[in-house]
Amino acid sequence: MLTVNAYAATAPTEPLTPTRIARRDLGPHDVLIEVKYCGICHTDIHWVRGDWGAKDYPVVPGHEMTGIVTEAGGEVTRHLVGDRVGVGCLANSCRTCANCRKGYEQYCLEGNVLTYGSVDRDGTLTQGGYSTHIVVTEDFVLKIPDGLALDVAAPLLCAGATTFSPLERWGAGPGKKVAVIGVGGLGHVAVKIAHAMGAEVTALSRGMGKKDDALRLGADHYHATADPDTFARLAGEFDLILNTVSAPLDVDAFLSTLAIDGTLAVVGATPEYSLHRANLVRNQRALSGSLIAGLPGTQRMLDFCAAHGVGAEIETIDAEQINEAYDRVLASDVRYRFVLDNATLV
Ligand code: NAP
Ligand code: ZN
Ligand code: ZN
């Protein structure tokens, strides 16, 4: 058993504090990873602050990890000591059910094991990436391709996978008009990926403050959704809209901007939707959603991002800045992902 430095939340209303946690002894198929960087996802904040109901505490959040393999179990075949690797939102699943076999481990019929706050298949509670080391079974460890730096790659493990998945599924590419709602951690990566896929990309943000950044990241167009004229101007415009917003949203207004056969794909944890039937049946629109991505999809995303030079725009922080970073994410004051330098977990 290895005892390592970490940052944990002990209650929804308490700041995260330094702690020490145990990592299990390596099983034959486990790898030990020295975590170099971990992105701070808005999901960490929803989880820690109790937005999604009662959770087990203390919890070490973090599911956007990159690092180096420092030890491998005796039967590990996929990774070598010294490999550059990543761990995303999933730490385990049954691997044999129909959904796992299709590469949708997030929808495992026996229940997925999330990287933190989940009961693992051995009965222990998983603890995430705000820690110096993690032990993960080899099948749930991704390869970080050469050319992707570990710091800008870290947010791809959730933000990249979560947005690549619906963009790929709904065919974002040349000739397709794709809008991204919310230019935050997920949204800014979505803009980059959709642009790299060859789509015509529109960034939809509340105000005009992120316009220059969005255009620099690859958006062809930018509109402020706080401007009431925006929705009239964009009526029937898009083939695909990706909602990355973490707050209540007027979904009907966005549906009205879909062209014939258009799809509104939800990934943001918008807590509630008002939905008027007329906005769906008109233009035979579809409303869809997805949860993170499975292992094959996540690796495809990493390979795609490496091939197209896509990394996250990051602000690197020390461990003692985690609580401040949470407040800044909640205030949408992040350009565009905080990434923890795990060497500062002392
Ligand atoms: P984030 O960095 O905070 O970005 C969210 C963006 O939403 C903000 O930058 C802001 O964009 C917009 N926004 C915030 N408050 C808003 C409000 N009151 N009204 C309208 N727009 C608002 O968060 P994130 O890390 O990208 O995560 C986004 C959401 O996705 C979270 O709810 C997270 O839990 C969820 N998520 C889901 C999955 C999944 O598998 N489905 C995976 C990861 C994350 P503008 O300033 O541009 O308006
Ligand atoms: Zn996440
Ligand atoms: Zn399964």
Side-chain angles (χ1 to χ4, degrees):
M1 192 102 75
L2 189 65
T3 306
V4 305
N5 293 340
Y7 246 67
T10 53
T13 50
E14 294 298 320
L16 282 79
T17 47
T19 188
R20 305 260 297 157
I21 58 167
R23 293 300 190 188
R24 67 173 181 259
D25 290 332
L26 287 197
H29 289 285
D30 284 339
V31 293
L32 174 65
I33 299 166
E34 181 184 348
V35 183
K36 296 288 190 188
Y37 297 101
C38 185
I40 291 184
C41 179
H42 203 123
T43 293
D44 301 347
I45 303 172
H46 287 307
W47 191 283
V48 163
R49 301 255 168 122
D51 293 352
W52 296 342
K55 300 292 179 194
D56 288 320
Y57 294 89
V59 64
V60 175
H63 58 206
E64 293 185 337
M65 268 164 273
T66 53
I68 305 288
V69 174
T70 55
E71 214 178 314
E75 292 173 32
V76 168
T77 56
R78 299 168 74 104
H79 308 284
L80 296 172
V81 170
D83 279 1
R84 290 156 25 95
V85 293
V87 179
C89 305
L90 293 167
N92 212 344
S93 74
C94 85
R95 299 174 230 189
T96 55
C97 74
N99 291 354
C100 282
R101 284 203 311 272
K102 283 184 201 150
Y104 293 129
E105 296 89 349
Q106 72 272 43
Y107 309 122
C108 175
L109 296 171
E110 291 189 16
N112 63 30
V113 177
L114 299 173
T115 306
Y116 61 82
S118 253
V119 179
D120 206 340
R121 296 178 68 80
D122 63 3
T124 58
L125 190 67
T126 57
Q127 301 289 1
Y130 303 180
S131 63
T132 56
H133 297 78
I134 191 166
V135 175
V136 183
T137 183
E138 60 172 329
D139 291 348
F140 286 74
V141 176
L142 287 305
K143 293 178 186 301
I144 305 297
D146 291 342
L148 259 186
L150 291 183
D151 54 356
V152 300
L156 300 179
L157 273 302
C158 173
T162 300
T163 56
F164 181 87
S165 173
L167 290 169
E168 182 185 55
R169 176 180 177 199
W170 297 107
K176 290 286 175 70
K177 292 185 176 183
V178 174
V180 176
I181 318 174
V183 184
L186 265 60
H188 91 282
V189 172
V191 166
K192 284 187 163 196
I193 292 175
H195 172 71
M197 287 173 164
E200 182 178 333
V201 183
T202 298
L204 300 173
S205 183
R206 282 165 297 175
M208 292 304 288
K210 297 176 179 175
K211 180 175 181 181
D212 290 348
D213 284 347
L215 297 180
R216 177 174 56 80
L217 298 174
D220 301 284
H221 315 282
Y222 181 100
H223 297 275
T225 54
D227 175 354
D229 294 339
T230 290
F231 292 96
R233 264 202 309 273
L234 296 177
E237 177 77 3
F238 303 114
D239 299 300
L240 175 63
I241 303 174
L242 194 57
N243 170 21
T244 73
V245 169
S246 50
L249 203 66
D250 182 354
V251 173
D252 282 306
F254 287 97
L255 280 173
S256 73
T257 68
L258 283 175
I260 193 160
D261 286 330
T263 300
L264 173 61
V266 175
V267 291
T270 297
E272 59 207 35
Y273 282 95
S274 69
L275 178 61
H276 196 290
R277 177 196 58 83
N279 290 315
L280 265 188
V281 299
R282 192 174 299 132
N283 277 359
Q284 53 192 31
R285 295 163 172 144
L287 179 60
S288 166
S290 51
L291 178 71
I292 51 175
L295 273 295
T298 304
Q299 190 63 58
R300 258 194 328 278
M301 175 279 304
L302 287 168
D303 296 343
F304 176 90
C305 286
H308 292 84
V310 173
E313 306 278 302
I314 62 168
E315 191 175 327
T316 308
I317 58 163
D318 292 351
E320 61 189 21
Q321 294 172 285
I322 288 174
N323 293 299
E324 184 195 333
Y326 274 29
D327 291 340
R328 286 185 53 196
V329 171
L330 289 170
S332 295
D333 177 24
V334 48
R335 299 290 188 274
Y336 281 87
R337 195 57 132 191
F338 288 114
V339 169
L340 172 64
D341 175 355
N342 289 53
T344 63
L345 288 161
V346 287

